[in-house]
Amino acid sequence: MDKPPKGNAVVGQSGGPTAVVNQSLVGVIEAARKCGLIERLLGARNGVRGIVEQRFVELQGLDRPLLERIADTPAAALGSTRDRPDEAYCKRILEVFAANNVRYLFYIGGNDSADTARIINDMAAAAGYPLCIFHIPKTIDNDLRVTDHCPGYGSAARFVAAALMGDDRDNASLPGIKIDVVMGRSAGWLAAAGELARQDPTDGPHLIYVPERPVTEERFVEDVAETYGRLGRCLVAVSEGIMDEKGVSYGEKLAASVERDSHGNIQLSGSGALGDYLAQIAKTTVTQKLGRKTLRVRADTFGYLQRSFAGFPSPVDRREARLAGRKAVEYAASGLPSGSVAFKRAAGAKYRITCFRAELAEVARETKPLSDEFINAAGNGINESFRAYAAPLAGPLPVIGRL
Amino acid sequence: MDKPPKGNAVVGQSGGPTAVVNQSLVGVIEAARKCGLIERLLGARNGVRGIVEQRFVELQGLDRPLLERIADTPAAALGSTRDRPDEAYCKRILEVFAANNVRYLFYIGGNDSADTARIINDMAAAAGYPLCIFHIPKTIDNDLRVTDHCPGYGSAARFVAAALMGDDRDNASLPGIKIDVVMGRSAGWLAAAGELARQDPTDGPHLIYVPERPVTEERFVEDVAETYGRLGRCLVAVSEGIMDEKGVSYGEKLAASVERDSHGNIQLSGSGALGDYLAQIAKTTVTQKLGRKTLRVRADTFGYLQRSFAGFPSPVDRREARLAGRKAVEYAASGLPSGSVAFKRAAGAKYRITCFRAELAEVARETKPLSDEFINAAGNGINESFRAYAAPLAGPLPVIGRL
């Protein structure tokens, strides 16, 4: 292991914001001050785009109170990007690094960002340019491989659980069928967090649908009718990315004009189309099946609030996102080769994690679906075992009082 | 003033839930125990419906920890109703009251509930049945007359402000045009709370549209294009009840187009319809006007989370909702005639309220629009004076940290 060189460092943020992505940024800033190797810490505005455009902000002179305010502010304080660099783009990045004596890159993002980090790292190695890159995981989707869970997920899970908990009480007050669409294009981790809202067997969400299991209209109708027949109401949480039996997502089917970002991802969040579609089925087929003339049916799509709501982060998620940022710098300063910061959960009843270095290639590109063990046999709900996994991440939730 | 009689009391909850409607319920329970006149306190399940169906729950034996949990749980613990009693319905209510020696009714709700209270009160007087009714105000819409503000509004305003604050940081991270649809069919109080999210002149929401001012498509296009041209992004908060220059609500217009499209050509979402519609205008006309090929445009509809999100109430709203419930019982026990509990704000810089009794007829039926003084001259934003009015109600909000 070569002795790590002194030089400058760049830190950037990429992809969809989270409530704690600035905790990781502040973790990098703190550790960079201490490590003794980093002369200038340059924040790249809008991720890789700010690197090629040389839009940098000096991050080492910021005072502690400002850093703490930034850490607790949702979304990327440096600005984010959806750019996915190709070879020419990465070449330009390396040129900028060489011109600025940048020897370290800390890049906060999801699997696409890990892939960007991997490409730059490979190009630097091929060019013989000494560069250490650490990817710092960030995603509300919780779909990165290797790590036990991802910074950003706990706060989003906390928001979704509190939203569904309140909405379940709303639905109990004015009974009917309610459908809540939760973020998650390809993985059901966030919709599964709805399970944390349930404190009594009669509490909703009574049904949780995730992209990992096919959802047919027939199945949806039967499930909702059965629940309504039993409880006189039904709260449904559904991932925006649910698919039919042929593996075609409802979002894709419903989108009049499918918009894709530069990574080829379909834009699903925000439009109420899926919720409205399922509500329409409930208003017609479910209502008929129950032999009723009319039922109260509503749908909400939680949208960007899940990733950027201010003032309601998970305490554990805040701490761990900060830790991931610090660890990235510490690993680089200790001479470890480029990689991604990952969490490992210690065995035992008490929640505790340790960090380790993962290979960039193991985190890049492909994602991790919601584990089979957490999905019930019927494919319409979440197993009790998920609670042990997710409850520590979301942090303490309100306790429902009921008459 | 007659000496108030000993007897039983009924308490009920009506209309759309809020985050603190159970604080008022617990306030009634606490004061009923102390007042020395109420022998049994009966909670009516689902408001007036539970009265006519005699579905009551005894509320006097509940222990303190349970009461506090109930108080902090969103939505109506007794269940709510949308029933609006006619004469025959009210007659049945009085029969149930007579059969159960009910001498007091405490009814927690909005202007419709105040009207129900008024009708029952008039009928009881006409029948010579001694009955004291107190309406306890509750609405996220903040649209009740007489009172300075309504319990439930502060928590909804807090939610909307925190949501827009986070979404503004999200929009600053990944710049584009974002449209957020806020509850409020006929009054702009809740959309106006978006103003509390702004801590810097460049912060969004940059435009706030309310039902009290006409919104033409031309105006919307000009406003959004001007903001985007100046800041490179634009966050818009819009009441669901905004109307065109002819006083026709967009919701009504869009519902009509949904019906026209019922043969299945265009997917126009119902719940997200207004947001999708405005997003479509931004994607086409605004984008053209700015001479761009494409702009990033998204829309969210905040939905029921505004009224029932768990664990994020306004501290002031919690206290005041409890106070309103207690005052209702104290007014009744002190021999005051039937009425509604109202808040008066004390003059001076420090926020302080006192309670008083308002006439039921003054609170019933008609609602209070967002005050003219709070709407800017252009009709597309909120004046600074609104902050002094609303900030104490929403309570302390996170402080944005920025680079």
Side-chain angles (χ1 to χ4, degrees):
Chain A
M1 202 188 281
D2 290 344
K3 187 172 155 22
K6 283 204 174 191
N8 298 325
V10 165
V11 58
Q13 295 170 302
S14 181
T18 78
V20 297
V21 62
N22 290 331
Q23 293 283 354
S24 295
L25 173 63
V26 171
V28 168
I29 296 172
E30 288 175 334
R33 282 183 186 172
K34 283 187 194 157
C35 78
L37 291 172
I38 294 170
E39 285 156 353
R40 292 170 67 203
L41 178 63
L42 304 171
R45 297 277 187 191
N46 303 102
V48 286
R49 180 168 286 247
I51 300 175
V52 295
E53 294 173 356
Q54 303 208 47
R55 289 186 291 116
F56 293 120
V57 51
E58 296 273 355
L59 293 176
Q60 272 168 321
L62 307 174
D63 67 24
R64 168 65 42 194
L66 175 59
L67 283 181
E68 291 302 332
R69 280 202 302 280
I70 289 171
D72 269 327
T73 296
L78 284 168
S80 189
T81 180
R82 293 284 187 191
D83 281 7
R84 178 178 199 167
D86 59 11
E87 199 141 326
Y89 200 122
C90 287
K91 194 159 170 283
R92 180 80 189 107
I93 287 173
L94 285 182
E95 285 166 11
V96 171
F97 282 179
N100 291 278
N101 191 32
V102 172
R103 299 293 164 184
Y104 301 94
L105 171 62
F106 304 105
Y107 207 44
I108 308 166
N111 56 310
D112 286 334
S113 307
D115 201 39
T116 297
R118 183 188 63 79
I119 295 167
I120 298 171
N121 189 63
D122 289 353
M123 288 184 77
Y129 181 80
L131 180 68
C132 178
I133 304 183
F134 264 89
H135 168 255
I136 299 159
K138 162 237 59 116
T139 167
I140 63 162
D141 292 327
N142 202 40
D143 61 353
L144 296 188
R145 292 179 295 159
V146 187
T147 188
D148 176 80
H149 60 277
C150 303
Y153 173 67
S155 296
R158 178 176 179 72
F159 182 89
V160 167
L164 283 163
M165 183 182 291
D167 204 26
D168 184 62
R169 293 299 88 203
D170 196 305
N171 186 252
S173 297
L174 290 168
I177 297 168
K178 179 74 194 293
I179 294 144
D180 287 327
V181 180
V182 177
M183 276 183 164
R185 276 190 295 247
S186 57
W189 293 101
L190 198 51
E195 182 65 18
L196 302 177
R198 304 182 66 231
Q199 295 177 1
D200 182 88
T202 63
D203 284 353
H206 307 102
L207 298 163
I208 300 178
Y209 296 107
V210 293
E212 286 81 0
R213 293 290 181 274
V215 184
T216 64
E217 285 188 26
E218 295 70 31
R219 181 55 197 266
F220 175 78
V221 168
E222 267 187 39
D223 287 349
V224 174
E226 187 280 324
T227 306
Y228 194 95
R230 185 163 43 89
L231 298 173
R233 66 188 192 89
C234 182
L235 180 67
V236 184
V238 51
S239 288
E240 59 184 349
I242 55 162
M243 289 177 237
D244 66 15
E245 66 278 24
K246 291 175 191 133
V248 180
S249 84
Y250 283 75
E252 223 169 318
K253 289 203 283 189
L254 293 170
S257 58
V258 174
E259 190 183 339
R260 288 172 192 269
D261 68 15
S262 62
H263 296 271
N265 299 320
I266 301 171
Q267 296 301 321
L268 294 178
S269 306
S271 168
L274 176 58
D276 289 343
Y277 175 73
L278 296 175
Q280 196 56 36
I281 295 175
K283 276 180 191 167
T284 52
T285 323
V286 173
T287 305
Q288 273 164 29
K289 196 181 173 77
L290 288 164
R292 304 283 283 261
K293 265 180 83 175
T294 178
L295 288 179
R296 186 173 178 274
V297 181
R298 299 285 185 276
D300 275 326
T301 302
F302 289 172
Y304 281 14
L305 277 56
Q306 297 164 89
R307 70 188 201 188
S308 59
F309 191 79
F312 197 70
S314 150
V316 164
D317 195 28
R318 289 175 70 226
R319 283 197 300 276
E320 291 182 349
R322 180 83 69 109
L323 176 69
R326 280 205 301 264
K327 283 291 174 186
V329 176
E330 289 168 17
Y331 288 164
S334 71
L336 285 176
S338 296
S340 176
V341 176
F343 295 151
K344 185 178 159 60
R345 192 182 299 226
K350 195 170 150 56
Y351 175 78
R352 202 170 59 79
I353 57 153
T354 52
C355 295
F356 66 101
R357 172 193 166 279
E359 293 294 341
L360 285 171
E362 284 175 8
V363 179
R365 287 199 280 199
E366 271 154 62
T367 54
K368 180 174 73 178
L370 178 61
S371 312
D372 279 345
E373 63 179 307
F374 295 146
I375 308 172
N376 73 2
N380 63 6
I382 298 302
N383 287 332
E384 185 62 28
S385 59
F386 177 77
R387 199 176 285 269
Y389 170 82
L393 313 182
L397 288 162
V399 179
I400 295 294
R402 66 190 93 220
L403 288 167
Chain B
M1 200 188 283
D2 290 341
K3 189 173 156 19
K6 284 204 174 191
N8 299 325
V10 165
V11 58
Q13 295 170 303
S14 179
T18 79
V20 297
V21 61
N22 290 331
Q23 292 283 353
S24 294
L25 173 64
V26 170
V28 168
I29 295 171
E30 287 176 334
R33 282 182 185 173
K34 282 188 195 157
C35 77
L37 290 172
I38 293 170
E39 285 154 354
R40 293 170 67 202
L41 178 63
L42 304 171
R45 296 277 188 192
N46 302 104
V48 285
R49 180 169 286 248
I51 299 176
V52 295
E53 294 174 356
Q54 302 208 46
R55 289 187 289 117
F56 292 122
V57 51
E58 296 273 354
L59 292 176
Q60 271 167 322
L62 308 174
D63 67 24
R64 168 66 42 195
L66 176 59
L67 283 180
E68 291 302 331
R69 281 202 302 280
I70 289 170
D72 269 327
T73 297
L78 285 168
S80 190
T81 180
R82 292 286 186 190
D83 282 6
R84 291 176 72 173
D86 58 11
E87 198 141 324
Y89 200 122
C90 288
K91 195 159 169 279
R92 180 81 189 105
I93 288 174
L94 282 183
E95 285 166 9
V96 170
F97 283 179
N100 290 278
N101 190 33
V102 172
R103 300 294 164 182
Y104 301 95
L105 170 62
F106 303 106
Y107 207 46
I108 308 165
N111 56 309
D112 285 336
S113 307
D115 201 37
T116 298
R118 184 188 62 78
I119 295 168
I120 298 171
N121 189 63
D122 290 353
M123 287 183 79
Y129 182 81
L131 179 68
C132 179
I133 304 183
F134 264 89
H135 168 253
I136 299 159
K138 164 235 59 113
T139 167
I140 63 161
D141 292 327
N142 203 39
D143 61 353
L144 297 187
R145 292 179 296 160
V146 187
T147 189
D148 177 81
H149 60 277
C150 303
Y153 173 67
S155 296
R158 178 176 180 73
F159 182 90
V160 167
L164 283 163
M165 182 182 289
D167 204 27
D168 184 62
R169 292 301 87 202
D170 196 305
N171 186 253
S173 298
L174 290 167
I177 296 167
K178 179 74 194 293
I179 295 144
D180 286 327
V181 180
V182 177
M183 276 183 165
R185 273 194 208 122
S186 57
W189 293 101
L190 198 51
E195 183 66 17
L196 302 177
R198 304 181 66 231
Q199 296 177 0
D200 182 89
T202 63
D203 285 352
H206 308 101
L207 299 163
I208 299 178
Y209 297 107
V210 293
E212 287 81 1
R213 293 289 182 275
V215 184
T216 64
E217 285 188 26
E218 295 70 31
R219 182 54 198 268
F220 174 79
V221 168
E222 267 188 39
D223 287 349
V224 175
E226 187 280 324
T227 306
Y228 194 96
R230 185 162 43 87
L231 299 173
R233 67 187 190 90
C234 183
L235 179 67
V236 184
V238 51
S239 288
E240 60 184 348
I242 55 162
M243 289 176 235
D244 66 15
E245 66 279 24
K246 291 175 194 137
V248 181
S249 83
Y250 283 75
E252 240 172 292
K253 290 202 281 188
L254 293 169
S257 68
V258 165
E259 273 173 22
R260 275 205 306 278
D261 295 337
S262 65
H263 293 289
N265 283 333
I266 301 172
Q267 297 285 350
L268 234 188
S269 57
S271 59
L274 177 58
D276 288 350
Y277 175 73
L278 296 174
Q280 198 54 35
I281 295 175
K283 276 181 189 166
T284 53
T285 323
V286 173
T287 305
Q288 274 165 29
K289 196 181 173 79
L290 288 163
R292 304 282 284 262
K293 266 179 81 176
T294 178
L295 288 178
R296 186 175 178 273
V297 181
R298 299 287 183 272
D300 275 325
T301 302
F302 288 172
Y304 281 13
L305 277 55
Q306 296 164 90
R307 70 187 200 187
S308 59
F309 191 79
F312 198 69
S314 151
V316 164
D317 196 27
R318 287 175 73 226
R319 283 197 300 274
E320 292 182 349
R322 181 83 68 109
L323 177 69
R326 280 205 300 263
K327 283 290 173 187
V329 176
E330 289 169 16
Y331 288 164
S334 71
L336 285 176
S338 297
S340 175
V341 177
F343 296 151
K344 185 178 159 60
R345 193 183 298 229
K350 193 170 152 54
Y351 175 77
R352 201 170 60 79
I353 57 151
T354 52
C355 295
F356 66 101
R357 171 192 165 277
E359 294 294 340
L360 285 170
E362 284 175 7
V363 178
R365 288 199 278 200
E366 272 154 59
T367 55
K368 181 174 73 178
L370 178 62
S371 313
D372 279 346
E373 64 179 308
F374 295 145
I375 308 171
N376 74 2
N380 62 6
I382 298 301
N383 287 332
E384 185 63 25
S385 59
F386 177 78
R387 199 176 286 269
Y389 169 82
L393 312 183
L397 288 161
V399 179
I400 295 294
R402 66 190 94 221
L403 288 166

